[in-house]
Each structure stands twice: as C-alpha cells, then as structure tokens.
Amino acid sequence: MNNSRNIKDFTIATLGSHTALQILKGARDEGFKTICICERGKTEPYESFNVADEIITLEKYSDFFQIEQQLIDKNTILIPHGSFVAYIGPENIMKIKAMHYGTKEILNWESDRNKEREWLLGAGIKMPKVFSQPEDIDRTVIVKFHGADGGMGYFLANSPAEFHRKHQNYLAKNKSKAYMIQEYIVGVPVYSHYFYSPIDDTLEIMSFDKRYESNADSVGRVAAKDQVDVDIETSYTVTGNVPIVLRESLLPQIFKMGHNVIEKSRELTSGGLFGPFCLEGVIDPQLNYYIFEISARIVAGTNPYINGSPYTWLKYNEPMSTGRRIARDIKKAIETGQLSKVLG
Ligand code: AMP
Ligand code: AMP
C-alpha cells in the first residue's frame, strides 16, 4: 500500500506534546487521517482541540514499541518532534520500523554536541568558543548540561573558581551530568525556522522566535540590588515561545546559512537534512549571528504560527504552519510517487 498515490491510504501520527497540535491540524487540513499517541492523563488538549481522528493511549511513552505494529497496519507516517526524541531516545529512534518522516541518521549529528559542532563549523557557521576545561575560562561563559532538559540547571561563570563553586551547587541538587562550557554571547536570542523540501528542491524561511525562559526573562523585573541581596541565579527553563520578525537586511544571510547547513549535511549522511530545521543562536550588536545549536526537525518555536507567519503569508497566501508544510510535502511526495524521498 506504500506505493499508493492516494493520501486517503495513509495516516499521519505523532506523540501528544511539543508541536503535536499543529502537526495534526496541518495533516488534517491537507486531507490526511490523524493519530495522536498520548500518555494516560494527557489526552485532553487533543480531544478539546479536535485534531486527532484517533487517540492511542500509552501508560508511558517508552511503551511506544508495543503499539508500533498497529501503526504499521494503518500505513502510518510518524512525524518526529522535540519531545518525540526526548521520550523515545535517539538510539531507539533508529529502531523504528513504521514510516518515519525525515532522516534518522541526521539525529545522531544533532544529538551529540561535538558532532553538531563539526557539522556547523564545516558549514561555515559562526559559533561561540568552547572551553575544553574549566581552568581555561577567561571570559563570561554559560555552562550547559547534555540532554534536552529545556535549559534546566544552566549557569554562568566568569572564572574557574566561580565555575567550581556553581558546579558544586548544581551537584548538590542534581545528578552528575556531562556539560559544555561555552563563551556567553551578549546579544539577543533568535531562533530561525527553515523548511527544505526535497520534492520542490527549495529552501524556505518559515518564521523566527525567541524562547520565554524562566527565570532569565524575568530577572530584569527585579532591581539589580535586590537580585544580589536575594542571590538570584539565572536559569533557562523553557515555558513558551515569543514570535519575532527579523530586520529585513538580515534575511540574505539567514538564507545563506540555511543553504550551507543543508549542503554540509549531504557530505555527512546519505540522505542529508530535509524538512523543518532550526538554527538557534544569539545576534550581537555588530549583527554577528552566533549559532549554538541546530534542531534537525520541527521546533516548538513554530507554535505561535499555527495560522501562518508573516513569511509564510508572503509565500502561500493561505494559513501555512510548519506542521501543515510537512503534510503538504508528504502529500506531494505521495501523489507524484516519490514518498521514499521524504522518509528516512
Ligand atoms: P515536553 O514534552 O514539554 O516535556 O518537552 C520535551 C522537550 O522538548 C523539552 O525538554 C524541551 O527541550 C523541548 N521543548 C518542549 N517545548 C518546548 C518549547 N515550547 N520551546 C522549546 N523547546 C521545547
Ligand atoms: P539552549 O538549551 O542551548 O538552547 O540554551 C538555552 C538558552 O540559553 C538560550 O535560549 C539562550 O537564552 C541562552 N544561551 C545559550 N547559549 C548561549 C550563548 N552561548 N550565549 C548567550 N546565551 C546563550
């Protein structure tokens, strides 16, 4: 049935969190049947917003493989997102037998900070300096722990001594974890959302966002004196996303960065990067855009644009979320007999 050119023979599914609402709504708007896979007790948003034809409930997400055959029988195409990778685990993603949108191989490059750095630097992207040991710290740095915990526990330090003091504090409250010490760039955070279609062979800018982080985005509401008095330490726990429209003269550079990242990915993996991806970084006052991370899949920063962004409005003249853009690419691939081009 995978050779069918009728989208009615296919179902689109994802896990109920992160960007599931726009993925499922987008799939339905393009004419697909939809399934939402939820953990028990977390189904209400998907029922209330009525985006799923079927909801499959699991005791816990790690039970995913128990229902995989059911998905295969329904000719389901799975759409991965941030929570999908966090809950199933990058190593288990490789074991998925159901149809999977996007290259699985690229997730290995994205989830390992060293490989990610090799990819981005190889694409000519500017990145903050990385310090291999705390003793080398000679400027303000941000210390990041591995794994997608949404910025939990990150701290700033200006010297080796400050690093060790804050790391001890961290260890008193948390399990020991690998970390990266990165130069702290003073500027504004900008996350650039792209879509590359292997079917149309075009790169699109979908939108931009910045994260709304607790407490980084609220410490400015407290006077500096009070911050010191009560010893507030900055943290970066993601709670939501805020839309941004970028200074227009930056757009040529944003396109160029996207093209370079795709080109480099083709040297690193067989299929290369396609579908939605995001470059995450900070723009300094000289307009240097330093990237600290790439997400090789849909990011939650696209959620403010379920009805489309200013950029997708220019291109499509109809509501086009990133979730819907994915479904449209899959639809075109099915109807032109090229489905394998968007699966990985
Ligand atoms: P959750 O399903 O909300 O627990 O999210 C799982 C992972 O996806 C988190 O650890 C975050 O890294 C990422 N994530 C979820 N929501 C967002 C968001 N709104 N913005 C950025 N990252 C997010
Ligand atoms: P991340 O988990 O890598 O996306 O980082 C979480 C947050 O930390 C970002 O949204 C930024 O606000 C901040 N951040 C991360 N890396 C840097 C950096 N090198 N310079 C300045 N701010 C950063």
Side-chain angles (χ1 to χ4, degrees):
M1 203 154 57
N2 289 357
N3 295 328
S4 164
R5 295 202 176 194
N6 184 352
I7 67 161
K8 299 276 170 234
D9 290 334
F10 294 85
T11 302
I12 283 188
T14 197
L15 295 196
S17 188
H18 197 266
T19 39
L21 289 170
Q22 60 159 309
I23 289 172
L24 298 174
K25 168 152 177 59
R28 186 178 272 171
D29 286 347
E30 291 297 310
F32 286 97
K33 288 180 291 223
T34 57
I35 295 178
C36 189
I37 305 154
C38 288
E39 245 178 11
R40 189 170 302 287
K42 297 186 181 168
T43 54
E44 189 168 357
Y46 308 97
E47 291 156 357
S48 172
F49 296 119
N50 187 28
V51 291
D53 295 312
E54 187 185 345
I55 293 180
I56 300 178
T57 308
L58 303 176
E59 282 311 318
K60 47 190 186 323
Y61 286 123
S62 49
D63 292 343
F64 170 80
F65 288 97
Q66 293 175 11
I67 56 123
E68 191 183 20
Q69 190 55 47
Q70 210 177 315
L71 298 177
I72 294 171
D73 295 343
K74 289 181 175 144
N75 226 24
T76 301
I77 302 171
L78 277 169
I79 314 291
H81 54 51
S83 306
F84 197 90
V85 178
Y87 297 146
I88 309 249
E91 60 295 342
N92 289 332
I93 300 258
M94 298 306 282
K95 296 183 197 145
I96 290 175
K97 291 196 203 67
M99 285 184 277
H100 172 279
Y101 173 78
T103 331
K104 286 179 198 151
E105 224 184 321
I106 208 80
L107 294 173
N108 289 332
W109 285 85
E110 176 221 55
S111 58
D112 176 322
R113 284 201 198 267
N114 297 321
K115 283 181 138 185
E116 178 183 45
R117 205 169 165 81
E118 183 188 333
W119 174 12
L120 294 179
L121 290 176
I125 301 291
K126 230 179 236 149
M127 298 187 81
K129 186 176 157 70
V130 166
F131 295 86
S132 53
Q133 46 177 13
E135 281 58 43
D136 296 341
I137 296 172
D138 63 356
R139 64 192 82 181
T140 306
V141 297
I142 179 164
V143 179
K144 300 180 175 188
F145 295 92
H146 286 236
D149 274 347
M152 208 58 160
Y154 291 6
F155 62 83
L156 301 187
N158 289 292
S159 64
E162 189 176 0
F163 169 88
H164 288 301
R165 183 172 58 77
K166 291 190 171 167
H167 193 220
Q168 285 309 319
N169 277 351
Y170 175 86
L171 291 177
K173 293 181 214 140
N174 301 280
K175 274 197 297 201
S176 176
K177 240 189 189 180
Y179 54 79
M180 180 183 258
I181 305 174
Q182 214 176 64
E183 170 187 15
Y184 186 82
I185 307 292
V186 181
V188 289
V190 173
Y191 288 44
S192 301
H193 317 144
Y194 297 90
F195 189 91
Y196 172 70
S197 162
I199 305 298
D200 299 335
D201 189 22
T202 52
L203 176 70
E204 298 164 36
I205 289 176
M206 300 302 289
S207 44
F208 301 94
D209 83 296
K210 65 172 184 170
R211 291 177 172 185
Y212 194 48
E213 294 162 333
S214 189
N215 59 17
D217 288 310
S218 64
V219 282
R221 293 160 59 100
V222 180
K225 180 184 169 300
D226 296 332
Q227 291 176 26
V228 173
D229 285 353
V230 295
D231 196 19
I232 294 179
E233 291 196 351
T234 317
S235 56
Y236 299 88
T237 306
V238 176
T239 61
N241 306 81
V242 183
I244 293 178
V245 171
L246 214 61
R247 183 169 165 171
E248 197 160 307
S249 57
L250 289 170
L251 295 181
Q253 180 192 342
I254 302 291
F255 272 112
K256 187 158 187 293
M257 291 164 72
H259 285 297
N260 290 350
V261 163
I262 291 169
E263 209 169 292
K264 185 69 192 172
S265 75
R266 291 181 178 150
E267 287 172 29
L268 304 176
T269 63
S270 45
L273 173 66
F274 60 81
F277 66 101
C278 175
L279 290 177
E280 312 181 350
V282 169
I283 302 183
D284 77 5
Q286 285 72 43
L287 298 179
N288 295 303
Y289 191 7
Y290 288 91
I291 300 298
F292 41 73
E293 201 158 342
I294 183 167
S295 287
R297 49 182 158 73
I298 186 168
V299 292
T302 59
N303 280 339
Y305 305 110
I306 292 188
N307 202 34
S309 78
Y311 304 97
T312 62
W313 180 248
L314 288 166
K315 195 167 172 77
Y316 290 98
N317 251 330
E318 66 180 318
M320 185 58 67
S321 67
T322 294
R324 185 170 186 180
R325 185 67 190 84
I326 293 171
R328 185 160 293 186
D329 221 36
I330 296 174
K331 178 176 170 179
K332 195 162 178 188
I334 291 170
E335 289 175 347
T336 55
Q338 303 180 77
L339 182 57
S340 63
K341 269 198 179 175
V342 298
L343 303 178

